[in-house]
Amino acid sequence: MISVEDWALIRRLVADGVPQRQVAKDLGVGRSTVARALASDRPPKYERPAVPTSFTPFEPLVRQLLAATPDMPATVIAERVCWCGSITWFRDNVRRLRPQYRPVDPADRLTWLPGDAAQCDLWFPPKKIPLEDGSKVLLPVMVITAAHSRFMVGRMIPTRHTEDLLLGMWVLLQQLGRVPRRLIWDNESGIGRGKRHAEGVGAFTGTLATTLQRLKPYDPESKGVVERRNGFFETSFMPGRTFESPADFNTQFADWLTIANARIVRTTKARPVELLDVDRAAMLPLPPVAPTVGWVNRVRLGRDYYVRVDSSDYSVDPAVIGRFVDVTADLARVEVRHEGRLVAAHDRVWARGMTITDPVHVAAAKVLREQFQRPRPAPDPQEGLARDLADYDRAFGLLDGGLADGEVA
């Protein structure tokens, strides 16, 4: 068999007008070799003729098992067909046959119209963030990417609970300035599972007049725009950065997103900031009334005068002990009200299991405790024992009828 270089040289010489006999003589090959080189439209390649192997007798049985169960492990197939040879050789042959029986899941090219959709996801930066108690944890970052313009907004949030997810979405949609007609999510537990949205999600999307679409499992292509951005964040934003707190992370991330949104996107061949106006023009306006989001709870304040939000406790004015209070919290603030009056306000902590105490509440509790423990004056034992004698006269009817006949005064 001639080399690829000889094959190419033969075809070039003959194309230049050199006779085939002369080409064969100059290259030292037979004229039949020259003829075969001219007749072949592809470079010569050595191919070993197929011969029966030790796997050949087992192949029909393997094909039957793969046709019934395409994902059956090779070790199980080897046991079923009573294979006694090399398991590595068996795995190689099963790997060669399996694609012929595995179901095909084609991915369509998606077209994103202006204002139609925004893809939402949680990105977990591969670096732990310091919290208030000195601990360091991995925290989620809520990311929303407008599908048409590829414009990105994002913010770190404390937890994956529904309350914080809705808070994060509302903050980012306010940054976007408009509401996409569809919010596309995967099966995040805080958003919903199966056929049901999580509690509060329906009211949130209803207030925004938008649709929240949760994708079916194993459908990453339908959310590929935001998924690719997550990888982009890890390779372009994270390297070489350090963070002192979640607030520091959000500041650095917001500054970097301003730069990233001004870069040309390869698929659209445009900058996201340039397409944003067209995208926003087709979106829905923000609702006139803000949706009810965040942590909301109504409890009777106990003697401990603390309320719990997520996993941390916050002190409340002890003057309202025993009464119902309304607890609300967002990403940064915790407030407690009694009949509309503010009785506690704290910065929300992201660390778990902390106790946040206002010194004013402790001082007020001390005063109330001293008043409760102060001895009360003992009542006078004679007080309440003296009685008007006229009461007895009335009881015996002496005032109305006087003395009866024969009675002695």
Side-chain angles (χ1 to χ4, degrees), residues 67-84:
T69 312
D71 294 329
M72 182 179 293
T75 52
V76 177
I77 298 176
E79 180 183 354
R80 299 283 177 85
V81 301
C82 300
W83 172 264
C84 298

Side-chain angles (χ1 to χ4, degrees), residues 23-337:
V23 171
K25 181 179 179 180
D26 293 341
L27 298 181
V29 297
R31 282 185 290 175
S32 59
T33 302
V34 173
R36 287 196 300 270
L38 295 174
S40 175
D41 58 352
R42 63 185 60 186
K45 179 181 178 181
Y46 174 74
E47 294 181 353
R48 186 175 182 177
V51 295
T53 66
S54 58
F55 182 77
T56 302
F58 297 89
E59 183 169 335
L61 297 177
V62 172
R63 288 183 177 276
Q64 291 180 11
L65 293 174
L66 289 176
T69 312
D71 294 329
M72 182 179 293
T75 52
V76 177
I77 298 176
E79 180 183 354
R80 299 283 177 85
V81 301
C82 300
W83 172 264
C84 298
S86 169
I87 191 61
T88 301
W89 169 244
F90 189 84
R91 281 198 182 101
D92 292 341
N93 283 276
V94 172
R95 190 180 301 112
R96 172 177 57 85
L97 298 177
R98 195 185 298 277
Q100 303 176 27
Y101 300 94
R102 182 169 289 163
V104 178
D105 181 20
D108 295 332
R109 293 280 181 97
L110 300 178
T111 302
W112 303 102
L113 300 177
D116 173 52
Q119 298 183 9
C120 311
D121 198 16
L122 291 181
W123 166 53
F124 288 85
K127 184 169 290 187
K128 294 185 176 181
I129 308 298
L131 298 182
E132 298 85 356
D133 61 350
S135 62
K136 295 183 177 181
V137 297
L138 295 176
L139 292 173
V141 177
M142 169 81 70
V143 180
I144 295 180
T145 302
H148 175 73
S149 63
R150 306 300 200 269
F151 190 84
M152 302 170 290
V153 288
R155 181 187 177 94
M156 181 170 281
I157 58 177
T159 70
R160 299 170 67 177
H161 294 306
T162 302
E163 294 84 353
D164 287 329
L165 293 178
L166 297 181
L167 281 167
M169 274 198 291
W170 176 234
V171 169
L172 296 182
L173 290 175
Q174 287 179 295
Q175 293 182 14
L176 198 59
R178 304 277 284 184
V179 181
R181 299 179 182 275
R182 287 187 299 154
L183 298 173
I184 300 177
W185 271 93
D186 54 15
N187 281 274
E188 176 66 32
S189 59
I191 297 298
R193 285 292 178 91
K195 297 182 179 180
R196 292 181 177 273
H197 291 330
E199 185 177 357
V201 174
F204 175 78
T205 56
T207 305
L208 299 180
T210 187
T211 300
L212 192 144
Q213 178 182 352
R214 289 187 290 110
L215 302 176
K216 297 179 180 179
Y218 312 110
D219 188 16
E221 294 85 3
S222 296
K223 202 164 62 67
V225 172
V226 71
E227 295 285 358
R228 285 190 292 272
R229 267 64 191 169
N230 292 347
F232 176 46
F233 300 151
E234 295 192 9
T235 58
S236 298
F237 170 70
M238 290 299 297
R241 292 184 182 267
T242 58
F243 309 101
E244 298 179 357
S245 64
D248 182 34
F249 178 94
N250 284 329
T251 299
Q252 294 190 44
F253 193 45
D255 293 340
W256 180 83
L257 284 176
T258 303
I259 301 173
N261 282 321
R263 296 175 178 173
I264 295 178
V265 179
R266 178 180 57 84
T267 53
T268 63
K269 298 180 176 59
R271 294 177 174 84
V273 291
E274 296 174 350
L275 299 177
L276 181 60
D277 289 340
V278 176
D279 209 358
R280 292 176 69 251
M283 294 182 185
L284 302 169
L286 293 173
V289 178
T292 302
V293 292
W295 299 79
V296 180
N297 193 14
R298 182 176 176 85
V299 297
R300 188 186 295 275
L301 188 64
R303 290 181 57 202
D304 191 25
Y305 65 91
Y306 281 82
V307 295
R308 176 160 294 185
V309 174
D310 190 15
S311 63
S312 295
D313 296 329
Y314 300 84
S315 67
V316 182
D317 186 353
V320 294
I321 287 176
R323 305 175 187 178
F324 281 102
V325 294
D326 297 305
V327 185
T328 59
D330 56 20
L331 297 176
R333 195 77 172 160
V334 175
E335 294 183 348
V336 184
R337 286 179 167 81

